[in-house]
Amino acid sequence: MISNEPRVTAEAPSLLELDDIHVDYEGIISALRGVSLRVGRGEIVALLGGNGAGKTTTLAAASGLLAAKRGAITRGTVAFDGQRGAGLDARRLVQGGLVQVLEGRRCFAHLSVHENLVAGALVRRASRAEVVADAERIYALFPRLAHRIGSAAGLLSGGEQQMLAIGRALMVRPRLLLLDEPSIGLAPQIVQEIFDVITRLNRNEGVSVLIAEQN
């Protein structure tokens, strides 16, 4: 028998919620008005929009990075894993498992691939053995990085730098990964490799993902 009634699925418990967020820059430039979204535990959520639509500002509001750009939430609340407020502290969010990969890679250009990964683990004060094990995990996820382990990050291709930026974020062992346009400027094959890794992380390890993209 075929039923025309809609299928009801259980909603995943919330990990991140933005409720009616308004953001101004320098107190005069209105960048966001009334943005609400939700990321459940174990979900991948895509935030789509053209250039200048406010995607980066939305991610910055979620990750507590607005102040670095002279921005502030003027209305609404952010909630992450039970913490709620009009803008949460970025350091505490990272320690709690919310990690953002910024647009433009932002690797430490003069440090090697391995040194960049080690830097990612510093925020959680990992032991030497944990750092080694986590770095090996990143090399398994991104074999291209394993072949460039001693190379300066500034000498990597754009795709390799994006893999390194994501790998550095994964060294924190995030529960929620925020990705700001990870495909920008990259060849389709590299984009596919990166999204395959994101899918595996979500499926196999339960990492939640909020990804902002134009496409």
Side-chain angles (χ1 to χ4, degrees), residues 52-135:
K55 303 185 300 299
T56 294
T57 297
T58 301
L59 295 189
S63 60
L65 296 178
L66 282 173
K69 301 181 178 181
R70 298 183 181 180
I73 295 174
T74 58
R75 175 177 165 183
T77 58
V78 177
F80 174 67
D81 196 26
Q83 302 179 62
R84 181 177 294 273
L88 301 176
D89 179 71
R91 179 178 58 85
R92 291 188 177 182
L93 286 171
V94 171
Q95 292 174 341
L98 187 158
V99 183
Q100 181 173 349
V101 178
L102 300 173
E103 181 183 1
R105 290 89 160 171
R106 312 289 181 91
C107 300
F108 298 116
H110 298 294
L111 298 183
S112 70
V113 166
H114 190 71
E115 288 167 341
N116 268 269
L117 294 182
V118 171
L122 294 177
V123 69
R124 61 184 179 87
R125 299 178 181 177
S127 68
R128 183 182 297 273
E130 288 174 329
V131 171
V132 170
D134 286 352

